[in-house]
Amino acid sequence: MLWLTNIKMETGYDFSRQDDIRTKTQYAAIGIEDGVIRTIERKAALKEGEAVIDGQGYLLLPAFADNHLHLDKGHYGGSWQAVVPVENGVRDRIREEEGFLLDFLEHTPEKAQALIDLVAGNGAAFLKVQVNVDPVVGLKNLESVYNVLKKNSHRLNFEVVVFPQHGTLVTEAKGWLTEAMKHPAVTAIGGLDPATIDGDIEASLKTIFDLAADFQKQIDIHLHDGGTLGMFEMHRIADYTEQYHMEGKVQISHGFCLADQSEEEIIGMAQRLSRAGIAINSTVPLDNAPNLPLLRRNGVKVHVVNDNINDHWSPFGTGDLLQRASRAAEKFDQVDERSLAQCLSMVTRGVTPLSWEGELLWPKPGDAADFVLVPAESTAHAVARVPLERVVIFRGQVVSQR
Ligand SMILES: [Zn+2]
C-alpha cells in the first residue's frame, strides 16, 4: 500500500449559524493500491517499507477534467501570435485555418505537449480532445495528436473527438469522417452549426447521428448559432438524440443561443436537455455565456472547459480549469460557501466532496486516486481564491507539483 498522509478532507457543513454556513474539515490519510483508494483513515496505519506522500496539510480535491480542448492548431508552445481581426466570425476563422493547417502540422507535437503540460500541471487528469478532421488536413492531425496523448498516458486519461471544423457535410463528402471513426482513440463525433456552416440542418444532423450509431460513438456539436435559430437547432439535436436512443451520449458545446433567452425559455430548454441527457460545455465567455447555474438547477450536466488557449480564435486562456470555475462563480454570483463549492462540479464531471446538504460524496474507497492538492480551507475557498500552488496526483503518483 502507498499512503497519502497529512491531507485536509471536507467532512460536512456546520449549519449552527443559519446564514453563515461553514465547511467542516479534518486531517486524514488515504491508502492507495493499484491507483485506487483502498482505505481512508484518520492516521496512516503504516507498515514497514510502505511509501508515503506527505500532503503538507493541503486540501484534497478531485482531479479536474477538461471536456473540450484543442491541441492541434494553436500558437501556445510556439512563438507569440495575437489574433488577426476578421469580419465574419466562424466562417472567416475556417477560411483562415484552411491556409495554415498543413504548415502547422510539423510543430503540432511540441505545441500539443506544451498545452498538456499547462493544463495537466494545473490539475487536469482527463482531457476530451477535439481533433480537426477536414478536407485540408485529413487524418494527419488525428495521428499526430494521438501519438502525443499516448506519451502522456502516465499522467492523464484522454478521449478524442473527431471534429469536422470545416463542416460535417463537406468533410464526409470525401469519406474522412467514416475513415476517422475507425481510429482506436476516437470516442465521439463532432459537428458544428448545422444551419450556418452546413446549410442543411437535417442532412447535417442525420450524418452525425448515423455515424455515431454505426460506430457506437458519442456526439459533441459545437453550436455557435445564436437566437431562435440556435434554439431551433438545439431542439432538433434533442429530437435526434431521442430518435436514435442516444440519451446521455450527446453534448453541445458553447450553446450561445441560451445566453440571449428569457429565464422562462432557458428553463424550458434545460428541462428538454435534461430529459434527453444532453450536457452543455461552456468556456464561460464574459459576453455570452449561458446561465450555467440555472441550467444545473434544472437538471443539465454542465462542464466548464478550456476549449482553445492562445490560438487564431483567441489570444486568451490560462489552461486553468479552477480559474474557469471561479469565473463561472463570479459571473453568475455564486458567492456563498455552498454555491461556490458546487461550482467545482463543473470542472470535475460532477464530482464534489460534499453534496448541497453536506453529505460526504467523495472520496470513497474504490475511487481512482486522482487528486489535486491545494493550500485552501475548503472547496469554496479554492474556487474563490484560485491558489496557484498545486500538487497533481494521478493513479496514486505525483505527476506534477508547483
Ligand atoms: Zn472548440
Side-chain angles (χ1 to χ4, degrees), residues 68 90 163 191-196 205 220-227 229-235 237 251-258 269 273 280-281 290:
H68 181 143
V90 178
F163 180 48
L192 79 163
D193 299 324
T196 54
L205 292 179
D220 180 354
I221 297 175
H222 303 198
L223 193 59
H224 310 90
D225 288 336
L229 175 61
M231 291 295 276
F232 176 75
E233 289 172 280
M234 215 172 248
H235 271 299
I237 293 168
Q251 56 187 35
I252 295 174
S253 290
H254 312 308
F256 297 141
C257 58
L258 288 167
M269 182 59 84
L273 295 173
I280 294 284
N281 292 328

PDB file of all heavy atoms in Angstrom, residues 68 90 163 191-196 205 220-227 229-235 237 251-258 269 273 280-281 290:
ATOM      1  N   HIS A  68     -13.408  19.697 -23.261  1.00  0.00           N
ATOM      2  CA  HIS A  68     -13.356  20.277 -24.616  1.00  0.00           C
ATOM      3  C   HIS A  68     -12.065  21.076 -24.743  1.00  0.00           C
ATOM      4  O   HIS A  68     -11.955  22.181 -24.221  1.00  0.00           O
ATOM      5  CB  HIS A  68     -14.580  21.181 -24.831  1.00  0.00           C
ATOM      6  CG  HIS A  68     -14.662  21.820 -26.183  1.00  0.00           C
ATOM      7  ND1 HIS A  68     -15.859  22.009 -26.844  1.00  0.00           N
ATOM      8  CD2 HIS A  68     -13.714  22.328 -27.017  1.00  0.00           C
ATOM      9  CE1 HIS A  68     -15.639  22.610 -28.001  1.00  0.00           C
ATOM     10  NE2 HIS A  68     -14.332  22.826 -28.130  1.00  0.00           N
ATOM     11  N   VAL A  90     -17.134  32.760 -37.399  1.00  0.00           N
ATOM     12  CA  VAL A  90     -16.730  31.367 -37.579  1.00  0.00           C
ATOM     13  C   VAL A  90     -16.290  31.081 -39.021  1.00  0.00           C
ATOM     14  O   VAL A  90     -15.267  30.436 -39.254  1.00  0.00           O
ATOM     15  CB  VAL A  90     -17.879  30.422 -37.163  1.00  0.00           C
ATOM     16  CG1 VAL A  90     -17.506  28.968 -37.395  1.00  0.00           C
ATOM     17  CG2 VAL A  90     -18.246  30.638 -35.698  1.00  0.00           C
ATOM     18  N   PHE A 163     -13.432  16.177 -35.009  1.00  0.00           N
ATOM     19  CA  PHE A 163     -14.149  17.448 -35.156  1.00  0.00           C
ATOM     20  C   PHE A 163     -14.037  17.992 -36.581  1.00  0.00           C
ATOM     21  O   PHE A 163     -12.971  18.465 -36.997  1.00  0.00           O
ATOM     22  CB  PHE A 163     -13.604  18.462 -34.149  1.00  0.00           C
ATOM     23  CG  PHE A 163     -14.305  19.792 -34.246  1.00  0.00           C
ATOM     24  CD1 PHE A 163     -15.684  19.860 -34.280  1.00  0.00           C
ATOM     25  CD2 PHE A 163     -13.582  20.967 -34.324  1.00  0.00           C
ATOM     26  CE1 PHE A 163     -16.344  21.075 -34.387  1.00  0.00           C
ATOM     27  CE2 PHE A 163     -14.229  22.189 -34.436  1.00  0.00           C
ATOM     28  CZ  PHE A 163     -15.608  22.243 -34.465  1.00  0.00           C
ATOM     29  N   GLY A 191     -19.421  18.078 -34.551  1.00  0.00           N
ATOM     30  CA  GLY A 191     -20.130  18.775 -35.620  1.00  0.00           C
ATOM     31  C   GLY A 191     -20.217  20.232 -35.215  1.00  0.00           C
ATOM     32  O   GLY A 191     -19.842  20.580 -34.095  1.00  0.00           O
ATOM     33  N   LEU A 192     -20.648  21.102 -36.140  1.00  0.00           N
ATOM     34  CA  LEU A 192     -20.847  22.500 -35.753  1.00  0.00           C
ATOM     35  C   LEU A 192     -21.940  23.136 -36.600  1.00  0.00           C
ATOM     36  O   LEU A 192     -22.096  22.790 -37.770  1.00  0.00           O
ATOM     37  CB  LEU A 192     -19.540  23.307 -35.838  1.00  0.00           C
ATOM     38  CG  LEU A 192     -19.042  23.790 -37.193  1.00  0.00           C
ATOM     39  CD1 LEU A 192     -18.008  24.876 -36.996  1.00  0.00           C
ATOM     40  CD2 LEU A 192     -18.448  22.632 -37.959  1.00  0.00           C
ATOM     41  N   ASP A 193     -22.655  24.030 -35.984  1.00  0.00           N
ATOM     42  CA  ASP A 193     -23.663  24.881 -36.626  1.00  0.00           C
ATOM     43  C   ASP A 193     -24.288  24.240 -37.869  1.00  0.00           C
ATOM     44  O   ASP A 193     -23.976  24.638 -39.004  1.00  0.00           O
ATOM     45  CB  ASP A 193     -23.029  26.230 -36.983  1.00  0.00           C
ATOM     46  CG  ASP A 193     -22.527  26.947 -35.741  1.00  0.00           C
ATOM     47  OD1 ASP A 193     -23.185  26.841 -34.691  1.00  0.00           O
ATOM     48  OD2 ASP A 193     -21.467  27.593 -35.806  1.00  0.00           O
ATOM     49  N   PRO A 194     -25.190  23.286 -37.687  1.00  0.00           N
ATOM     50  CA  PRO A 194     -25.808  22.608 -38.840  1.00  0.00           C
ATOM     51  C   PRO A 194     -26.440  23.581 -39.837  1.00  0.00           C
ATOM     52  O   PRO A 194     -26.438  23.322 -41.034  1.00  0.00           O
ATOM     53  CB  PRO A 194     -26.877  21.722 -38.193  1.00  0.00           C
ATOM     54  CG  PRO A 194     -26.396  21.501 -36.799  1.00  0.00           C
ATOM     55  CD  PRO A 194     -25.669  22.747 -36.406  1.00  0.00           C
ATOM     56  N   ALA A 195     -26.954  24.722 -39.352  1.00  0.00           N
ATOM     57  CA  ALA A 195     -27.613  25.675 -40.259  1.00  0.00           C
ATOM     58  C   ALA A 195     -26.591  26.537 -40.983  1.00  0.00           C
ATOM     59  O   ALA A 195     -26.554  26.569 -42.217  1.00  0.00           O
ATOM     60  CB  ALA A 195     -28.583  26.558 -39.472  1.00  0.00           C
ATOM     61  N   THR A 196     -25.732  27.253 -40.241  1.00  0.00           N
ATOM     62  CA  THR A 196     -24.921  28.292 -40.891  1.00  0.00           C
ATOM     63  C   THR A 196     -23.637  27.748 -41.509  1.00  0.00           C
ATOM     64  O   THR A 196     -23.093  28.362 -42.426  1.00  0.00           O
ATOM     65  CB  THR A 196     -24.565  29.414 -39.900  1.00  0.00           C
ATOM     66  OG1 THR A 196     -23.958  28.841 -38.754  1.00  0.00           O
ATOM     67  CG2 THR A 196     -25.789  30.202 -39.501  1.00  0.00           C
ATOM     68  N   LEU A 205     -27.390  16.833 -39.217  1.00  0.00           N
ATOM     69  CA  LEU A 205     -27.638  16.033 -38.009  1.00  0.00           C
ATOM     70  C   LEU A 205     -27.787  14.555 -38.349  1.00  0.00           C
ATOM     71  O   LEU A 205     -27.314  13.695 -37.601  1.00  0.00           O
ATOM     72  CB  LEU A 205     -28.882  16.551 -37.278  1.00  0.00           C
ATOM     73  CG  LEU A 205     -28.723  17.953 -36.655  1.00  0.00           C
ATOM     74  CD1 LEU A 205     -30.016  18.390 -35.962  1.00  0.00           C
ATOM     75  CD2 LEU A 205     -27.560  18.007 -35.670  1.00  0.00           C
ATOM     76  N   ASP A 220     -20.594  15.400 -29.998  1.00  0.00           N
ATOM     77  CA  ASP A 220     -20.352  16.731 -29.422  1.00  0.00           C
ATOM     78  C   ASP A 220     -20.538  17.760 -30.535  1.00  0.00           C
ATOM     79  O   ASP A 220     -19.701  17.864 -31.435  1.00  0.00           O
ATOM     80  CB  ASP A 220     -18.927  16.801 -28.849  1.00  0.00           C
ATOM     81  CG  ASP A 220     -18.628  18.158 -28.228  1.00  0.00           C
ATOM     82  OD1 ASP A 220     -19.462  19.081 -28.343  1.00  0.00           O
ATOM     83  OD2 ASP A 220     -17.542  18.295 -27.625  1.00  0.00           O
ATOM     84  N   ILE A 221     -21.633  18.510 -30.475  1.00  0.00           N
ATOM     85  CA  ILE A 221     -21.919  19.511 -31.523  1.00  0.00           C
ATOM     86  C   ILE A 221     -21.596  20.906 -30.995  1.00  0.00           C
ATOM     87  O   ILE A 221     -22.102  21.318 -29.943  1.00  0.00           O
ATOM     88  CB  ILE A 221     -23.391  19.416 -31.976  1.00  0.00           C
ATOM     89  CG1 ILE A 221     -23.617  18.028 -32.609  1.00  0.00           C
ATOM     90  CG2 ILE A 221     -23.709  20.527 -32.986  1.00  0.00           C
ATOM     91  CD1 ILE A 221     -25.035  17.736 -32.996  1.00  0.00           C
ATOM     92  N   HIS A 222     -20.729  21.611 -31.717  1.00  0.00           N
ATOM     93  CA  HIS A 222     -20.315  22.957 -31.319  1.00  0.00           C
ATOM     94  C   HIS A 222     -21.327  23.938 -31.912  1.00  0.00           C
ATOM     95  O   HIS A 222     -21.321  24.191 -33.110  1.00  0.00           O
ATOM     96  CB  HIS A 222     -18.916  23.275 -31.843  1.00  0.00           C
ATOM     97  CG  HIS A 222     -17.867  22.297 -31.406  1.00  0.00           C
ATOM     98  ND1 HIS A 222     -16.525  22.573 -31.456  1.00  0.00           N
ATOM     99  CD2 HIS A 222     -17.957  21.042 -30.883  1.00  0.00           C
ATOM    100  CE1 HIS A 222     -15.847  21.531 -31.010  1.00  0.00           C
ATOM    101  NE2 HIS A 222     -16.685  20.590 -30.662  1.00  0.00           N
ATOM    102  N   LEU A 223     -22.185  24.468 -31.082  1.00  0.00           N
ATOM    103  CA  LEU A 223     -23.290  25.304 -31.566  1.00  0.00           C
ATOM    104  C   LEU A 223     -23.030  26.763 -31.211  1.00  0.00           C
ATOM    105  O   LEU A 223     -23.239  27.182 -30.081  1.00  0.00           O
ATOM    106  CB  LEU A 223     -24.604  24.800 -30.942  1.00  0.00           C
ATOM    107  CG  LEU A 223     -25.891  25.329 -31.539  1.00  0.00           C
ATOM    108  CD1 LEU A 223     -26.014  25.012 -33.027  1.00  0.00           C
ATOM    109  CD2 LEU A 223     -27.101  24.756 -30.784  1.00  0.00           C
ATOM    110  N   HIS A 224     -22.565  27.508 -32.238  1.00  0.00           N
ATOM    111  CA  HIS A 224     -22.339  28.950 -32.038  1.00  0.00           C
ATOM    112  C   HIS A 224     -23.577  29.762 -32.395  1.00  0.00           C
ATOM    113  O   HIS A 224     -23.715  30.886 -31.936  1.00  0.00           O
ATOM    114  CB  HIS A 224     -21.172  29.442 -32.910  1.00  0.00           C
ATOM    115  CG  HIS A 224     -19.914  28.632 -32.802  1.00  0.00           C
ATOM    116  ND1 HIS A 224     -19.652  27.551 -33.609  1.00  0.00           N
ATOM    117  CD2 HIS A 224     -18.846  28.744 -31.980  1.00  0.00           C
ATOM    118  CE1 HIS A 224     -18.470  27.032 -33.294  1.00  0.00           C
ATOM    119  NE2 HIS A 224     -17.964  27.730 -32.309  1.00  0.00           N
ATOM    120  N   ASP A 225     -24.430  29.228 -33.276  1.00  0.00           N
ATOM    121  CA  ASP A 225     -25.597  29.981 -33.753  1.00  0.00           C
ATOM    122  C   ASP A 225     -26.418  30.501 -32.576  1.00  0.00           C
ATOM    123  O   ASP A 225     -26.751  29.749 -31.662  1.00  0.00           O
ATOM    124  CB  ASP A 225     -26.502  29.081 -34.627  1.00  0.00           C
ATOM    125  CG  ASP A 225     -25.868  28.795 -35.984  1.00  0.00           C
ATOM    126  OD1 ASP A 225     -25.034  29.596 -36.430  1.00  0.00           O
ATOM    127  OD2 ASP A 225     -26.215  27.755 -36.586  1.00  0.00           O
ATOM    128  N   GLY A 226     -26.751  31.807 -32.630  1.00  0.00           N
ATOM    129  CA  GLY A 226     -27.489  32.425 -31.532  1.00  0.00           C
ATOM    130  C   GLY A 226     -28.980  32.463 -31.795  1.00  0.00           C
ATOM    131  O   GLY A 226     -29.480  31.945 -32.803  1.00  0.00           O
ATOM    132  N   GLY A 227     -29.696  33.088 -30.857  1.00  0.00           N
ATOM    133  CA  GLY A 227     -31.107  33.426 -31.024  1.00  0.00           C
ATOM    134  C   GLY A 227     -32.017  32.251 -31.309  1.00  0.00           C
ATOM    135  O   GLY A 227     -31.736  31.112 -30.928  1.00  0.00           O
ATOM    136  N   LEU A 229     -32.617  30.747 -34.092  1.00  0.00           N
ATOM    137  CA  LEU A 229     -32.022  29.712 -34.951  1.00  0.00           C
ATOM    138  C   LEU A 229     -31.283  28.683 -34.089  1.00  0.00           C
ATOM    139  O   LEU A 229     -31.484  27.470 -34.238  1.00  0.00           O
ATOM    140  CB  LEU A 229     -31.056  30.338 -35.967  1.00  0.00           C
ATOM    141  CG  LEU A 229     -30.286  29.334 -36.825  1.00  0.00           C
ATOM    142  CD1 LEU A 229     -31.229  28.483 -37.670  1.00  0.00           C
ATOM    143  CD2 LEU A 229     -29.267  30.051 -37.730  1.00  0.00           C
ATOM    144  N   GLY A 230     -30.444  29.172 -33.177  1.00  0.00           N
ATOM    145  CA  GLY A 230     -29.708  28.261 -32.292  1.00  0.00           C
ATOM    146  C   GLY A 230     -30.648  27.433 -31.432  1.00  0.00           C
ATOM    147  O   GLY A 230     -30.428  26.232 -31.230  1.00  0.00           O
ATOM    148  N   MET A 231     -31.712  28.068 -30.935  1.00  0.00           N
ATOM    149  CA  MET A 231     -32.680  27.343 -30.092  1.00  0.00           C
ATOM    150  C   MET A 231     -33.384  26.256 -30.917  1.00  0.00           C
ATOM    151  O   MET A 231     -33.610  25.145 -30.432  1.00  0.00           O
ATOM    152  CB  MET A 231     -33.715  28.320 -29.505  1.00  0.00           C
ATOM    153  CG  MET A 231     -33.146  29.269 -28.472  1.00  0.00           C
ATOM    154  SD  MET A 231     -32.550  28.462 -26.964  1.00  0.00           S
ATOM    155  CE  MET A 231     -34.070  28.326 -26.030  1.00  0.00           C
ATOM    156  N   PHE A 232     -33.713  26.576 -32.169  1.00  0.00           N
ATOM    157  CA  PHE A 232     -34.352  25.579 -33.046  1.00  0.00           C
ATOM    158  C   PHE A 232     -33.399  24.392 -33.272  1.00  0.00           C
ATOM    159  O   PHE A 232     -33.791  23.226 -33.167  1.00  0.00           O
ATOM    160  CB  PHE A 232     -34.751  26.217 -34.389  1.00  0.00           C
ATOM    161  CG  PHE A 232     -35.320  25.234 -35.356  1.00  0.00           C
ATOM    162  CD1 PHE A 232     -36.612  24.743 -35.187  1.00  0.00           C
ATOM    163  CD2 PHE A 232     -34.570  24.764 -36.437  1.00  0.00           C
ATOM    164  CE1 PHE A 232     -37.150  23.810 -36.074  1.00  0.00           C
ATOM    165  CE2 PHE A 232     -35.099  23.833 -37.317  1.00  0.00           C
ATOM    166  CZ  PHE A 232     -36.391  23.362 -37.137  1.00  0.00           C
ATOM    167  N   GLU A 233     -32.131  24.705 -33.545  1.00  0.00           N
ATOM    168  CA  GLU A 233     -31.150  23.625 -33.758  1.00  0.00           C
ATOM    169  C   GLU A 233     -31.002  22.768 -32.494  1.00  0.00           C
ATOM    170  O   GLU A 233     -30.882  21.538 -32.566  1.00  0.00           O
ATOM    171  CB  GLU A 233     -29.802  24.220 -34.156  1.00  0.00           C
ATOM    172  CG  GLU A 233     -29.803  24.806 -35.564  1.00  0.00           C
ATOM    173  CD  GLU A 233     -28.519  25.564 -35.872  1.00  0.00           C
ATOM    174  OE1 GLU A 233     -28.394  26.728 -35.431  1.00  0.00           O
ATOM    175  OE2 GLU A 233     -27.659  24.988 -36.544  1.00  0.00           O
ATOM    176  N   MET A 234     -31.018  23.428 -31.334  1.00  0.00           N
ATOM    177  CA  MET A 234     -30.904  22.689 -30.073  1.00  0.00           C
ATOM    178  C   MET A 234     -32.086  21.729 -29.901  1.00  0.00           C
ATOM    179  O   MET A 234     -31.916  20.580 -29.491  1.00  0.00           O
ATOM    180  CB  MET A 234     -30.846  23.693 -28.925  1.00  0.00           C
ATOM    181  CG  MET A 234     -29.955  23.264 -27.786  1.00  0.00           C
ATOM    182  SD  MET A 234     -29.736  24.560 -26.553  1.00  0.00           S
ATOM    183  CE  MET A 234     -28.015  24.955 -26.762  1.00  0.00           C
ATOM    184  N   HIS A 235     -33.279  22.217 -30.246  1.00  0.00           N
ATOM    185  CA  HIS A 235     -34.458  21.330 -30.188  1.00  0.00           C
ATOM    186  C   HIS A 235     -34.296  20.143 -31.137  1.00  0.00           C
ATOM    187  O   HIS A 235     -34.620  19.008 -30.792  1.00  0.00           O
ATOM    188  CB  HIS A 235     -35.726  22.107 -30.562  1.00  0.00           C
ATOM    189  CG  HIS A 235     -36.394  22.754 -29.387  1.00  0.00           C
ATOM    190  ND1 HIS A 235     -36.872  22.035 -28.318  1.00  0.00           N
ATOM    191  CD2 HIS A 235     -36.649  24.058 -29.107  1.00  0.00           C
ATOM    192  CE1 HIS A 235     -37.403  22.856 -27.426  1.00  0.00           C
ATOM    193  NE2 HIS A 235     -37.277  24.099 -27.870  1.00  0.00           N
ATOM    194  N   ILE A 237     -31.499  18.825 -32.175  1.00  0.00           N
ATOM    195  CA  ILE A 237     -30.482  17.906 -31.620  1.00  0.00           C
ATOM    196  C   ILE A 237     -31.130  17.018 -30.550  1.00  0.00           C
ATOM    197  O   ILE A 237     -30.891  15.804 -30.494  1.00  0.00           O
ATOM    198  CB  ILE A 237     -29.286  18.702 -31.043  1.00  0.00           C
ATOM    199  CG1 ILE A 237     -28.529  19.410 -32.174  1.00  0.00           C
ATOM    200  CG2 ILE A 237     -28.337  17.773 -30.275  1.00  0.00           C
ATOM    201  CD1 ILE A 237     -27.504  20.446 -31.699  1.00  0.00           C
ATOM    202  N   GLN A 251     -23.407  15.810 -26.256  1.00  0.00           N
ATOM    203  CA  GLN A 251     -23.177  17.092 -25.599  1.00  0.00           C
ATOM    204  C   GLN A 251     -23.160  18.201 -26.630  1.00  0.00           C
ATOM    205  O   GLN A 251     -22.890  17.973 -27.816  1.00  0.00           O
ATOM    206  CB  GLN A 251     -21.903  17.074 -24.765  1.00  0.00           C
ATOM    207  CG  GLN A 251     -20.659  16.692 -25.511  1.00  0.00           C
ATOM    208  CD  GLN A 251     -19.480  16.536 -24.563  1.00  0.00           C
ATOM    209  OE1 GLN A 251     -19.615  16.085 -23.435  1.00  0.00           O
ATOM    210  NE2 GLN A 251     -18.315  16.920 -25.021  1.00  0.00           N
ATOM    211  N   ILE A 252     -23.506  19.390 -26.164  1.00  0.00           N
ATOM    212  CA  ILE A 252     -23.480  20.584 -27.008  1.00  0.00           C
ATOM    213  C   ILE A 252     -22.468  21.532 -26.408  1.00  0.00           C
ATOM    214  O   ILE A 252     -22.524  21.834 -25.209  1.00  0.00           O
ATOM    215  CB  ILE A 252     -24.870  21.254 -27.074  1.00  0.00           C
ATOM    216  CG1 ILE A 252     -25.876  20.326 -27.772  1.00  0.00           C
ATOM    217  CG2 ILE A 252     -24.788  22.604 -27.790  1.00  0.00           C
ATOM    218  CD1 ILE A 252     -27.314  20.831 -27.748  1.00  0.00           C
ATOM    219  N   SER A 253     -21.496  21.974 -27.222  1.00  0.00           N
ATOM    220  CA  SER A 253     -20.515  22.941 -26.744  1.00  0.00           C
ATOM    221  C   SER A 253     -20.978  24.349 -27.099  1.00  0.00           C
ATOM    222  O   SER A 253     -21.580  24.564 -28.159  1.00  0.00           O
ATOM    223  CB  SER A 253     -19.142  22.664 -27.372  1.00  0.00           C
ATOM    224  OG  SER A 253     -18.607  21.467 -26.833  1.00  0.00           O
ATOM    225  N   HIS A 254     -20.684  25.276 -26.220  1.00  0.00           N
ATOM    226  CA  HIS A 254     -20.994  26.713 -26.358  1.00  0.00           C
ATOM    227  C   HIS A 254     -22.468  27.032 -26.095  1.00  0.00           C
ATOM    228  O   HIS A 254     -22.780  27.641 -25.094  1.00  0.00           O
ATOM    229  CB  HIS A 254     -20.543  27.270 -27.719  1.00  0.00           C
ATOM    230  CG  HIS A 254     -19.149  26.880 -28.065  1.00  0.00           C
ATOM    231  ND1 HIS A 254     -18.095  27.091 -27.203  1.00  0.00           N
ATOM    232  CD2 HIS A 254     -18.610  26.250 -29.148  1.00  0.00           C
ATOM    233  CE1 HIS A 254     -16.987  26.622 -27.740  1.00  0.00           C
ATOM    234  NE2 HIS A 254     -17.260  26.101 -28.918  1.00  0.00           N
ATOM    235  N   GLY A 255     -23.354  26.666 -27.020  1.00  0.00           N
ATOM    236  CA  GLY A 255     -24.785  26.944 -26.796  1.00  0.00           C
ATOM    237  C   GLY A 255     -25.051  28.414 -26.541  1.00  0.00           C
ATOM    238  O   GLY A 255     -25.824  28.777 -25.650  1.00  0.00           O
ATOM    239  N   PHE A 256     -24.417  29.278 -27.347  1.00  0.00           N
ATOM    240  CA  PHE A 256     -24.545  30.727 -27.120  1.00  0.00           C
ATOM    241  C   PHE A 256     -26.005  31.197 -27.192  1.00  0.00           C
ATOM    242  O   PHE A 256     -26.357  32.217 -26.601  1.00  0.00           O
ATOM    243  CB  PHE A 256     -23.719  31.519 -28.146  1.00  0.00           C
ATOM    244  CG  PHE A 256     -22.237  31.267 -28.054  1.00  0.00           C
ATOM    245  CD1 PHE A 256     -21.461  31.170 -29.213  1.00  0.00           C
ATOM    246  CD2 PHE A 256     -21.605  31.146 -26.827  1.00  0.00           C
ATOM    247  CE1 PHE A 256     -20.095  30.946 -29.133  1.00  0.00           C
ATOM    248  CE2 PHE A 256     -20.231  30.925 -26.739  1.00  0.00           C
ATOM    249  CZ  PHE A 256     -19.474  30.824 -27.898  1.00  0.00           C
ATOM    250  N   CYS A 257     -26.844  30.467 -27.952  1.00  0.00           N
ATOM    251  CA  CYS A 257     -28.249  30.888 -28.086  1.00  0.00           C
ATOM    252  C   CYS A 257     -28.938  30.968 -26.735  1.00  0.00           C
ATOM    253  O   CYS A 257     -29.856  31.762 -26.546  1.00  0.00           O
ATOM    254  CB  CYS A 257     -28.997  29.927 -29.011  1.00  0.00           C
ATOM    255  SG  CYS A 257     -28.967  28.208 -28.471  1.00  0.00           S
ATOM    256  N   LEU A 258     -28.468  30.152 -25.766  1.00  0.00           N
ATOM    257  CA  LEU A 258     -29.093  30.171 -24.437  1.00  0.00           C
ATOM    258  C   LEU A 258     -28.819  31.467 -23.698  1.00  0.00           C
ATOM    259  O   LEU A 258     -29.502  31.808 -22.736  1.00  0.00           O
ATOM    260  CB  LEU A 258     -28.576  28.990 -23.602  1.00  0.00           C
ATOM    261  CG  LEU A 258     -29.073  27.606 -24.016  1.00  0.00           C
ATOM    262  CD1 LEU A 258     -28.245  26.531 -23.328  1.00  0.00           C
ATOM    263  CD2 LEU A 258     -30.546  27.446 -23.656  1.00  0.00           C
ATOM    264  N   MET A 269     -35.823  24.961 -22.096  1.00  0.00           N
ATOM    265  CA  MET A 269     -34.797  24.221 -22.845  1.00  0.00           C
ATOM    266  C   MET A 269     -33.993  23.316 -21.905  1.00  0.00           C
ATOM    267  O   MET A 269     -33.646  22.186 -22.265  1.00  0.00           O
ATOM    268  CB  MET A 269     -33.871  25.187 -23.585  1.00  0.00           C
ATOM    269  CG  MET A 269     -32.824  24.504 -24.427  1.00  0.00           C
ATOM    270  SD  MET A 269     -33.512  23.414 -25.712  1.00  0.00           S
ATOM    271  CE  MET A 269     -33.824  24.613 -27.009  1.00  0.00           C
ATOM    272  N   LEU A 273     -33.225  19.436 -22.437  1.00  0.00           N
ATOM    273  CA  LEU A 273     -31.866  18.884 -22.485  1.00  0.00           C
ATOM    274  C   LEU A 273     -31.690  17.816 -21.408  1.00  0.00           C
ATOM    275  O   LEU A 273     -31.071  16.775 -21.630  1.00  0.00           O
ATOM    276  CB  LEU A 273     -30.830  19.994 -22.296  1.00  0.00           C
ATOM    277  CG  LEU A 273     -30.752  21.076 -23.389  1.00  0.00           C
ATOM    278  CD1 LEU A 273     -29.788  22.187 -22.972  1.00  0.00           C
ATOM    279  CD2 LEU A 273     -30.324  20.485 -24.729  1.00  0.00           C
ATOM    280  N   ILE A 280     -23.976  20.344 -21.487  1.00  0.00           N
ATOM    281  CA  ILE A 280     -23.518  21.597 -22.098  1.00  0.00           C
ATOM    282  C   ILE A 280     -22.075  21.857 -21.669  1.00  0.00           C
ATOM    283  O   ILE A 280     -21.746  21.795 -20.475  1.00  0.00           O
ATOM    284  CB  ILE A 280     -24.402  22.787 -21.645  1.00  0.00           C
ATOM    285  CG1 ILE A 280     -25.830  22.649 -22.170  1.00  0.00           C
ATOM    286  CG2 ILE A 280     -23.789  24.120 -22.067  1.00  0.00           C
ATOM    287  CD1 ILE A 280     -26.036  22.964 -23.642  1.00  0.00           C
ATOM    288  N   ASN A 281     -21.210  22.143 -22.649  1.00  0.00           N
ATOM    289  CA  ASN A 281     -19.831  22.582 -22.377  1.00  0.00           C
ATOM    290  C   ASN A 281     -19.749  24.081 -22.606  1.00  0.00           C
ATOM    291  O   ASN A 281     -20.201  24.568 -23.645  1.00  0.00           O
ATOM    292  CB  ASN A 281     -18.841  21.936 -23.364  1.00  0.00           C
ATOM    293  CG  ASN A 281     -18.698  20.452 -23.158  1.00  0.00           C
ATOM    294  OD1 ASN A 281     -18.811  19.954 -22.038  1.00  0.00           O
ATOM    295  ND2 ASN A 281     -18.430  19.730 -24.229  1.00  0.00           N
ATOM    296  N   PRO A 290     -24.057  30.969 -21.433  1.00  0.00           N
ATOM    297  CA  PRO A 290     -25.365  30.549 -20.932  1.00  0.00           C
ATOM    298  C   PRO A 290     -25.355  30.572 -19.398  1.00  0.00           C
ATOM    299  O   PRO A 290     -24.283  30.415 -18.798  1.00  0.00           O
ATOM    300  CB  PRO A 290     -25.494  29.101 -21.428  1.00  0.00           C
ATOM    301  CG  PRO A 290     -24.435  28.904 -22.436  1.00  0.00           C
ATOM    302  CD  PRO A 290     -23.356  29.902 -22.151  1.00  0.00           C
TER     303      PRO A 290
END
